[in-house]
Each structure stands twice: as structure tokens, then as C-alpha cells.
Amino acid sequence: MRRALGVLAALVLLGGVIYALVPDDGPNPKKLVAVTGLIGSEKRAFFESPEVKAELAKQGLEVHADSTGSWTMSEQAKSSSGLDFAFPASTAPAREIQRNWGLQDSPLVPFYSPLVVVAHAPVAQILKDNKLAAQDDSGVWTFKMDEYVNGLKANLKWQDLANTGGHGELSGPVFVTTTDPESSSSGALYIALLSYVLNGNLVVSDDAGVDTARKVLHQATALQGGQKSSSDEPFRDFLAGVGNPLIFGYESQVAAMALQGQPTGDMVVMYPDTTAYSDHTIIARTESGRKLADLLQNDEALRALEVRFGFRPQASSGAFADQVKNIKQPVFAQDLNVAKVKQATVPSLDNLLKLTKAAKGSPK
């Protein structure tokens, strides 16, 4: 009898195990739709984030994105079939991609980031001492574009500036390092910004305006020597203490570090008093691409993650300010208008290409 009960108990236990291994007859998990596209390198960490992937999966999407420079993206998009979307860092390459794909609808701009000059605190202070930078009562730094352009015209050197004693690393011409304007959006926007200032704070709209800016644009580019093709490369060099002490990049690159608790040391974000905004523009080629674009603009959870990666969502104007207001170092401009940061108008695609060629030394 005792043996029979033992066999029965074993069978009951085995039955439980078998039951546990049999798949539930309930509905299958939602199948994810693969969405394939190209993105600027400044958005790679966002799309690789487990939190972003999980939120997109909740909406039925699995995004596969290759990162590249925004201008080279245009050529890749033209020659690549099967892409659902392209997501450069500004509107100019987006227009080029639209033209190549034969699309007419208005692309979405889910978020943006102002272009900034990044330096270490001692360098920022030297610029302030020499009227090339300023700091307001809230701690926000601005970079004086008129003075900088005048310095380029005058071949200004670090040795010409006051209070550079003890800074042997500061030598040679004063210039800002950028990415290659022929391959990267941030580099092209730097050229657009310089041309705007050189043209009397007017957008360059003709060949005469290109010629007005040509000499200084070429000088500002030639001073840099070899230029990187994507925005994360000069930023990584800066973090490693390599290269030029002033770099031009996205506010989002520094904000992402600060918002995610990464050490930023004595890094200073200087907003050019006339700057360009990087409008991250997504061009959707398929229905899946359009769904992704809509989610990036309108999904509340994704907008919160966009802020965490340093971007300013278009649909949540105060979200970025709420997250950075308590960050003491570096200080971010919660309101760009209050910080007296003006936005330069970016030239048309054709004129921007002419300016880029002028900056690289191409003949007229």
C-alpha cells in the first residue's frame, strides 16, 4: 500500500512537470516587425539602449539601424534598397534623401539639439577674460561668434590672449574643431553658421554671399587638418584629452552624459550666441518607417527616453529643462531665448553645398 501511494505521488509530480513544460494554448506573443534604416552616429546610443528597444518592442517594432555621417547617408540611401527610414541630424541631408527617394510628404522632426562649443573650464575662463565668451548670472555660457570670426580673420593665436600663462598646451591658432562638412551634419551646420555671421547675419542666398564667406570658411577648415566623418569621434578625442581644446558638437552629447550620471569633470558647454539647431529629421519610406517616426514624436515613454539621451523633444518643450535644471556642472540653457541664443537660418541645400565646397578649398 505504501509503495502504491509512492508511485501515485511520483506520477502526480511527473504530471505537474509535464504540464509545466507543455506550452500554454493562449495567444502567441506579438510578432515584432523589423524596421531597417540609417541614423546619424549621435543617435546610435539611443537606438542601442535596452530601454528604447523594449519600448519599441511594446509597440511591435524591432529597429535595425546602421550609423553613418548625415551627408554620406544621402548617398547610401540612394543606393540601398529595402530601407524603411533614414534619420540624419539636420534638414538639409533629409531634403536630399527625400529627393532621391521621390517623396513629397513633410518629414517629422521628433527632437532637436542646439550646436555648442565644448571646452574645459580653464579654457572657457581664458576665452571669457578675452571677450570671446561670457557667463550669465544663471551660469550659462555663451560663445561670442562675432569676436571669434574677427579672430579668424586676424589669425588670432592663443599666445595673443591674456592669462594664458601656465597653459603650455594652448598654442597656435584659435579655432574650433568640427567634423568634415562633406560627410557630417554638424560640420555642415558649422559652415552654415560661419557663413551667416560672415554675411552680416543674413542667410547666404546667392553666389555673392558664398564668395563673401569663402576665404574665412576655407581658413577655418584648413586649420583643422584632417577632419572626422562623424560627431562622436572628435567628442571621444576631447574626452581623452587629445587634440584641439575647442570642439563643435551637439548639446545632446554632453547632456546625455550628465543625465545618465556619467562624470563630466570640468567640461563647459558654451552656446554660440548665434547658433544652428540640429533638427533630427526622419524620412519614412514605408508604413513601418512612418510608424516609427510617429512613435518617436508622440509616444510619451519614448520622449522621456529622448531627453535622457540629451535631446529636446519638439512635442515636450519643457521636458529637457525639467531634467537639467538641477545639474550644476556643466550648466545647460533651460530656455535658449532667455539665454539670448539666436538661431541662424540655414541656407538652401544648393547654397549649403556651394559653401561646403568653398570651405574645402574647391574652386568656384
Side-chain angles (χ1 to χ4, degrees), residues 1-217:
M1 181 69 176
R2 185 176 300 168
R3 183 177 177 183
L5 289 173
V7 171
L8 180 61
L11 289 173
V12 170
L13 179 61
L14 181 60
V17 171
I18 292 172
Y19 177 80
L21 293 175
V22 173
D24 183 64
D25 289 330
N28 290 328
K30 190 174 185 180
K31 184 177 180 181
L32 298 182
V33 175
V35 189
T36 303
L38 299 171
I39 60 172
S41 62
E42 71 288 332
K43 293 184 285 288
R44 182 169 55 204
F46 173 79
F47 279 102
E48 289 179 351
S49 161
E51 293 90 345
V52 172
K53 288 182 178 181
E55 185 57 34
L56 289 170
K58 288 180 185 177
Q59 306 299 331
L61 299 184
E62 183 178 66
V63 175
H64 302 273
D66 290 330
S67 61
T68 184
S70 289
W71 281 108
T72 53
M73 186 184 301
S74 174
E75 287 301 311
Q76 287 182 245
K78 183 166 58 175
S79 60
S80 300
S81 60
L83 292 176
D84 296 294
F85 73 95
F87 202 178
S90 63
T91 54
R95 291 192 205 105
E96 178 75 1
I97 294 167
Q98 268 197 299
R99 190 159 64 185
N100 291 337
W101 283 353
L103 300 176
Q104 300 297 324
D105 56 331
S106 297
L108 295 180
V109 181
F111 47 80
Y112 69 99
S113 182
L115 274 299
V116 298
V117 176
V118 183
H120 292 292
V123 175
Q125 185 60 49
I126 289 171
L127 294 176
K128 179 181 176 183
D129 293 342
N130 289 273
K131 312 301 182 186
L132 285 159
Q135 188 179 23
D136 67 17
D137 292 339
S138 69
V140 173
W141 286 81
T142 49
F143 184 76
K144 301 300 183 182
M145 284 302 299
D146 285 338
E147 294 300 323
Y148 173 61
V149 167
N150 289 337
L152 287 173
K153 291 178 179 178
N155 297 310
L156 182 69
K157 296 179 173 56
W158 286 105
Q159 297 93 315
D160 299 328
L161 300 181
N163 302 331
T164 56
H167 292 277
E169 75 281 6
L170 299 178
S171 62
V174 177
F175 67 92
V176 176
T177 291
T178 74
T179 51
D180 187 338
E182 291 186 319
S183 62
S184 171
S185 180
S186 59
L189 288 173
Y190 175 73
I191 296 304
L193 173 56
L194 280 184
S195 72
Y196 182 86
V197 176
L198 287 162
N199 199 42
N201 290 325
L202 295 171
V203 63
V204 171
S205 58
D206 53 27
D207 289 347
V210 175
D211 288 338
T212 296
R214 181 180 300 276
K215 181 179 178 181
V216 177
L217 292 183

Side-chain angles (χ1 to χ4, degrees), residues 239-300:
L239 294 176
V242 176
N244 192 47
L246 301 175
I247 65 164
F248 191 71
Y250 301 104
E251 174 195 59
S252 59
Q253 292 174 290
V254 185
M257 293 180 65
L259 289 167
Q260 294 174 35
Q262 300 175 39
T264 55
D266 66 351
M267 200 182 305
V268 170
V269 173
M270 294 183 287
Y271 296 85
D273 51 10
T274 301
T275 192
Y277 291 2
S278 174
D279 292 326
H280 295 271
T281 307
I282 183 167
I283 308 96
R285 193 180 194 180
T286 65
E287 189 58 39
S288 297
R290 284 186 282 276
K291 180 177 180 180
L292 172 63
D294 180 73
L295 288 171
L296 290 170
Q297 177 141 314
N298 298 310
D299 184 273
E300 187 174 347

